[in-house]
Amino acid sequence: MNEAMAAGEVVARQRAFFDAGETRSVGMRIESLRRLERALREAREEVLGALGEDLGKPGIEAFLAEYQFLLEEIRLVCGSLERWLKPRRAGSPFYFLPCRNRVVPEPHGVALVMAPWNYPIQLSLGPLVAAVAAGNTVVLKPSELAGASGRLLERLIGKCFAPEHVAVVTGGVEVAEELLDAAFDFIFFTGSTEVGRLVAEKAARRLVPVVLELGGKCPCVVDRTADIGTSAGRILIGKLFNAGQTCFAPDFVVAHEEVREALVKEMACLLEKLPWEEEMARIVNARHFGRLRGLLAGREIRKGEDDEGRLHLAPRILPDADWGDAVMKEEVFGPVLPVLGFSDVEELIGRLRGYSSPLAMYVFSRDEGFVETMMAGVRSGSVCVNDTMKQACNLDLPF
């Protein structure tokens, strides 16, 4: 976008294109997304390089989470869109007969996508793909904390879409605030709860529908019947992927007191044995690095040393964590894993209900009754049993 162009001008341009009816064509939508797919395939090394520059992401991690996943999503959308958009017949009460009713999907208009820094490519293009597929024009605001990814997104979007169809707007907080004051028809925001509240307030003033993907403190509950070896490995993999900077990563572990010590011991062995510190992304910036260091208190089991200059925070377990600790007051969003204990299930459910509903809950148990009790007792966006994070990688499941 031309930096001199105000947010209102960008929205007006997008609205004129939408009102002209060009995005009504399903064929046009699919062809636009196919161009994006081809551009992504050609830019594979650029995508991985930008993610390495912004977050130090290991190649395989960046490939799976931010490149291949996007290609699969675009292919799913393109292959399913005509079926998804097909009008659906609806029934009628007998006293309206003879008549016919149908439900027809309609685009909102001009959509704003505000993306975070932790998955700067995937969480920019994923919502954008959905918005384009639905027939909207789009303004994308990437995170200013992932500059290399933002610059790459500008080039990719400019190559694949007319600027009045999809535009990329870069900048910091002032630009984001200006966009939120513009006349959008739909807002999709991914980020922190604190900023999400501000987005919701701005949207409410205009009665604009908004989707907020905010994360939260995703609990991981380990029952005494769980396979401790399997549980330890899967919890650590989920926690340390992207250095814990994932909105649905396990935030903390609550293990039954009968297995808590054994679980900590197994995780400590895995932490020591595997090269986590060599194959882990870095913390995004010095402010977040300092925030994470400020959450640490008491005994810790650590692999390696912190390197503030490289923004590398050594992965660690806090085996004696307590509900009142600072680390339990906010979303960790880093490679720090508090471990707490429980003995009474009802008390545990009460504790977990004290937090706002997270995107995910993880339950490790071989007792189906315990799993059902946790699912019924604690509200969350998703539940994954005896594993972590897999539910968000399945495109056949809603997220």
Side-chain angles (χ1 to χ4, degrees):
M1 184 198 84
N2 184 337
E3 292 185 5
M5 186 178 288
E9 294 178 85
V10 177
V11 174
R13 183 185 64 184
Q14 309 296 109
R15 188 171 306 285
F17 188 76
F18 176 79
D19 289 343
E22 301 230 19
T23 65
R24 294 280 176 171
S25 166
V26 178
M28 178 267 202
R29 303 180 204 179
I30 292 175
E31 179 52 37
S32 296
L33 295 175
R34 290 295 188 197
R35 285 198 302 272
L36 179 59
E37 179 191 357
R38 290 192 293 271
L40 276 171
R41 287 205 310 266
E42 293 168 2
R44 169 177 164 172
E45 294 308 315
E46 291 180 76
V47 169
L48 302 184
L51 295 169
E53 183 177 339
D54 284 332
L55 287 156
K57 290 198 180 194
I60 186 64
E61 184 177 299
F63 175 84
L64 291 173
E66 302 222 42
Y67 178 78
Q68 185 62 28
F69 186 83
L70 270 174
L71 291 179
E72 291 179 4
E73 187 164 16
I74 293 171
R75 290 161 187 162
L76 171 66
V77 169
C78 289
S80 307
L81 189 57
E82 290 188 355
R83 174 169 53 86
W84 290 345
L85 294 176
K86 192 173 182 180
R88 177 172 55 84
R89 292 185 63 182
S92 307
F94 73 90
Y95 43 80
F96 285 165
L97 297 176
C99 72
R100 288 181 295 177
N101 302 278
R102 62 178 183 166
V103 179
V104 181
E106 290 284 326
H108 283 274
V110 186
L112 171 63
V113 174
M114 304 185 76
W117 52 261
N118 58 325
Y119 290 88
I121 304 292
Q122 189 228 110
L123 293 179
S124 292
L125 294 182
L128 184 148
V129 165
V132 169
N136 302 284
T137 57
V138 186
V139 175
L140 169 65
K141 167 61 176 70
S143 172
E144 69 277 13
L145 300 183
S149 296
R151 292 187 293 273
L152 175 60
L153 286 167
E154 277 194 284
R155 295 199 301 274
L156 284 176
I157 297 303
K159 182 178 181 180
C160 300
F161 299 94
E164 59 271 23
H165 187 192
V166 180
V168 178
V169 177
T170 58
V173 174
E174 299 81 6
V175 172
E177 290 177 347
E178 185 183 355
L179 286 169
L180 288 170
D181 286 329
F184 285 97
D185 301 304
F186 195 96
I187 299 173
F188 191 107
F189 170 82
T190 305
S192 69
T193 301
E194 180 184 1
V195 179
R197 287 194 183 97
L198 299 176
V199 173
E201 288 174 7
K202 293 270 192 178
R205 291 172 193 166
R206 292 181 175 272
L207 298 180
V208 175
V210 59
V211 169
L212 303 175
E213 184 192 330
L214 304 178
K217 289 188 73 65
C218 300
C220 181
V221 179
V222 181
D223 180 36
R224 57 186 164 187
T225 66
D227 183 311
I228 296 304
T230 300
S231 302
R234 292 178 179 178
I235 292 169
L236 282 181
I237 289 170
K239 180 63 177 181
L240 300 181
F241 194 87
N242 199 31
Q245 298 169 124
T246 304
C247 54
F248 55 95
D251 187 272
F252 62 94
V253 173
V254 191
H256 195 282
E257 292 291 4
E258 291 183 15
V259 298
R260 180 180 182 179
E261 185 177 342
L263 178 68
V264 168
K265 183 178 179 181
E266 186 67 27
M267 288 195 296
C269 288
L270 288 172
L271 201 62
E272 185 60 36
K273 183 165 61 176
L274 298 175
W276 302 101
E277 75 280 14
E278 299 170 11
E279 299 179 4
M280 197 173 71
R282 62 172 176 262
I283 306 305
V284 66
N285 60 24
R287 183 173 70 84
H288 283 283
F289 188 94
R291 179 188 66 83
L292 288 166
R293 289 289 295 270
L295 297 178
L296 303 175
R299 184 166 69 99
E300 60 181 48
I301 300 168
R302 183 175 65 191
K303 174 66 180 293
E305 298 296 328
D306 296 338
D307 186 336
E308 189 168 0
R310 293 193 303 119
L311 295 177
H312 172 79
L313 190 73
R316 65 247 284 160
I317 299 164
L318 307 181
D320 306 316
D322 184 82
W323 296 101
D325 292 348
V327 76
M328 295 302 295
K329 302 296 185 183
E330 62 181 75
E331 185 177 3
V332 176
F333 221 66
V336 177
L337 183 64
V339 180
L340 303 90
F342 79 95
S343 53
D344 183 85
V345 175
E346 290 304 316
E347 181 183 350
L348 170 64
I349 289 174
R351 290 278 193 184
L352 297 181
R353 283 178 177 171
Y355 295 100
S356 59
S357 298
L359 283 176
M361 177 173 66
Y362 302 102
V363 182
F364 286 82
S365 176
R366 287 183 278 205
D367 181 345
E368 291 187 11
F370 177 82
V371 173
E372 292 296 327
T373 297
M374 293 305 303
M375 290 173 62
V378 181
R379 188 177 178 215
S380 64
S382 62
V383 179
C384 186
V385 179
N386 292 322
D387 212 332
T388 60
M389 297 175 64
K390 299 294 194 300
Q391 79 283 6
C393 304
N394 182 355
L395 290 172
D396 289 327
L397 291 173
F399 180 63

